Amino acid sequence: MTAIQDTDERPRPGSRSTGRLPRSARRSQLLGAAQEVFVAQGYHAAAMDDIAERAGVSKPVLYQHFPGKLELYLALLDKHCDALVEAIRTALEATTDNKQRVAATTEAYFTYVASESGAFRLVFESDLTNEEAVKERVERVTRETAMLVSKVIAEDTDLPEEAAMLLAVGVCGACQVTARYWLAESGEIPRDEAVRLVSSLSWRGLKGFPLHGSGSAAARAEDDGDVQAD
């Protein structure tokens, strides 16, 4: 048994595990500990010592899995960027009703931001955006979520792909910014009501673009019950 393996088995105060874990389980444990430290302290203030302490392992064990703090941070970013993209994909695929798609997409952003883990801060409030690898990942999640939304817009309207993508970036941006604002400042507004307000705003704009063969925007609005008598 090597010194590192021996350290891996030794319990520490606050440890989540008192025995040697399979490599995948240990990696997951380390990512969980790192997430707690990065969310609480930010990248620059966090230290590998803090992460090892939180995980209940020695630094050599931590370095067995991640060669440095940046690699650990990037692994977390990949995980949580992928989670958001998948949440938006699931929201859009859950129904063929476009109004409900907007509501589900908005709900997905609010759920992501409201998670007790605070992982959204790593993606949208990182203190390391000057690092190219971090910037690339943040741009990727923005691009991929918007592409999912723009595909629906482009398929259902007569808008060109470039216009659909522009609208999709606006919808996704509005969702994540308002969700973060709601979490920080709008405690008086229940979450369901906040989601309804934001999704209503997005839907009122998007429904102005006629569906293929659906006639005028005014006719669509009337069908939705949003046109009131003078």
Side-chain angles (χ1 to χ4, degrees):
M1 179 180 292
T2 67
I4 290 178
Q5 288 174 324
D6 182 58
T7 304
D8 198 7
E9 290 183 335
R10 189 185 308 129
R12 284 181 157 207
S15 174
R16 296 180 178 84
S17 173
T18 58
R20 194 192 321 171
L21 296 175
R23 186 171 182 84
S24 60
R26 178 66 77 195
R27 178 182 171 87
S28 179
Q29 179 201 21
L30 296 175
L31 285 171
Q35 180 174 312
E36 293 175 7
V37 173
F38 285 134
V39 168
Q41 301 181 20
Y43 178 84
H44 293 294
M48 293 294 268
D49 285 323
D50 299 328
I51 296 168
E53 175 89 20
R54 185 68 61 92
V57 301
S58 67
K59 280 179 67 176
V61 169
L62 182 56
Y63 281 112
Q64 268 192 319
H65 294 265
F66 301 98
K69 186 169 73 167
L70 178 60
E71 288 77 11
L72 185 48
Y73 192 82
L74 294 178
L76 280 169
L77 266 186
D78 285 336
K79 174 183 176 181
H80 293 297
C81 286
D82 289 346
L84 179 56
V85 171
E86 189 55 36
I88 301 306
R89 188 192 315 279
T90 299
L92 293 170
E93 292 178 351
T95 178
T96 57
D97 181 282
N98 286 330
K99 184 176 182 180
Q100 293 304 314
R101 279 171 166 166
V102 172
T105 298
T106 306
E107 174 65 34
Y109 273 99
F110 272 75
T111 298
Y112 184 77
V113 168
S115 171
E116 291 184 4
S117 71
F120 81 93
R121 300 188 189 280
L122 304 179
V123 180
F124 296 122
E125 299 178 1
S126 175
D127 59 346
L128 196 62
T129 51
N130 60 332
E131 169 63 44
E132 188 62 30
V134 173
K135 182 180 177 181
E136 288 175 358
R137 284 160 171 80
V138 173
E139 290 177 348
R140 175 179 71 82
V141 74
T142 299
R143 181 177 63 255
E144 291 186 5
T145 51
M147 285 177 65
L148 290 170
V149 175
S150 72
K151 182 179 179 182
V152 174
I153 295 174
E155 287 176 348
D156 289 348
T157 69
D158 293 318
L159 291 172
E161 290 184 4
E162 294 81 0
M165 184 64 175
L166 183 63
L167 290 175
V169 170
V171 169
C172 293
C175 287
Q176 67 99 344
V177 171
T178 52
R180 287 164 51 208
Y181 175 83
W182 167 81
L183 184 67
E185 305 290 345
S186 301
E188 297 294 322
I189 303 177
R191 176 171 147 185
D192 288 348
E193 176 64 7
V195 170
R196 187 190 69 78
L197 287 169
V198 176
S199 62
S200 294
L201 174 65
S202 297
W203 175 242
R204 284 176 182 273
L206 289 173
K207 74 178 181 182
F209 300 97
L211 296 174
H212 290 306
S214 67
S216 69
R220 289 184 62 209
E222 188 173 5
D223 289 340
D224 288 332
D226 290 328
V227 175
Q228 299 179 356
D230 293 335

